[in-house]
Amino acid sequence: MALASVSEDPQDQKVAAALLTPLRLDRYEAYLRQPIPSPLDDDPRAVVEAYLRGDPALRVAIMEGIDDRPRSVLRCFGEREAVEAVRTGSVDPIRLGLVAVAMATPGEDYREVQLSLSKLDHSARLLGADLADVFAAVTALLPERAREELGTFACRDDRDASLLKRMGFAARGTGSSFVYVDASPYED
């Protein structure tokens, strides 16, 4: 089911604006570096959950309202959910994170999207799941460009343990201390 191109419902536009406005606040400047979980996760989670529960018109209104700051926050939220998934041993955060990254994809730098997807993919594999299966479960809800980019990623034949390292990251810790770090200062 493709999303309509323009939301014409003023109520949907108001709901979308109310959901996205908190993501534009200065408190999200260093969001990716905040402890996981953080109360800051509540706002992007609300956007993603509203998108998933919403009808097509609301989804369009939300997507129309996403500009640079909300896009960045949603992508970071997706990366944070990759960590949360491993810490909790649940694939549910992978699903939310994947949808968040998909929502951020239109207008986002392709390389940034790939970095986020590599963390989600690695976390899914750590949990014995396949990101391609999670993608398949939500693909009908995603914006077209996101379906294309995420679908291309899900079909890569190099999605193995070395992909995360090639993207410049490493997994560190276990359980509640699990995190992704910049791999450049580490030697394996």
Side-chain angles (χ1 to χ4, degrees):
M1 166 190 310
L3 293 177
S5 59
V6 177
S7 173
E8 297 178 10
D9 185 341
Q11 183 59 32
D12 286 338
Q13 292 170 350
K14 286 180 185 176
V15 169
L19 286 165
L20 293 168
T21 295
L23 303 188
R24 292 185 177 93
L25 299 176
D26 288 342
R27 66 185 180 187
Y28 284 100
E29 283 282 327
Y31 178 45
L32 192 56
R33 294 188 301 266
Q34 296 300 310
I36 299 172
S38 165
L40 290 178
D41 298 328
D42 294 343
D43 294 325
R45 180 176 289 110
V47 172
V48 174
E49 288 175 346
Y51 179 89
L52 287 170
R53 285 190 316 268
D55 61 24
L58 179 58
R59 287 189 203 116
V60 168
I62 291 171
M63 291 304 299
E64 287 175 349
I66 296 175
D67 54 21
D68 289 344
R69 176 62 70 82
R71 185 177 299 115
S72 175
V73 170
L74 287 168
R75 189 181 47 73
C76 290
F77 175 73
E79 293 185 26
R80 294 169 62 81
E81 287 297 278
V83 171
E84 186 67 14
V86 175
R87 288 181 177 186
T88 63
S90 171
V91 178
D92 289 338
I94 300 283
R95 179 176 160 270
L96 285 179
L98 185 63
V99 173
V101 170
M103 293 171 70
T105 296
E108 183 66 292
D109 185 318
Y110 176 77
R111 295 166 294 189
E112 295 293 330
V113 171
Q114 296 296 298
L115 295 174
S116 299
L117 291 174
S118 70
K119 292 176 183 178
L120 288 162
D121 182 55
H122 184 263
S123 291
R125 282 187 285 105
L126 288 176
L127 296 173
D130 188 336
L131 189 67
D133 294 335
V134 178
F135 170 71
V138 297
T139 191
L141 301 175
L142 304 179
E144 186 174 336
R145 177 172 172 214
R147 284 196 307 268
E148 293 169 11
E149 285 192 34
L150 275 65
T152 298
F153 183 91
C155 291
R156 289 177 67 155
D157 59 5
D158 66 343
R159 287 176 41 232
D160 56 28
S162 67
L163 178 60
L164 186 70
K165 184 175 182 178
R166 288 192 318 271
M167 292 287 184
F169 296 103
R172 296 287 186 253
T174 59
S176 63
S177 68
F178 179 85
V179 68
Y180 288 108
V181 296
D182 181 350
S184 58
Y186 298 97
E187 297 292 328
D188 286 330

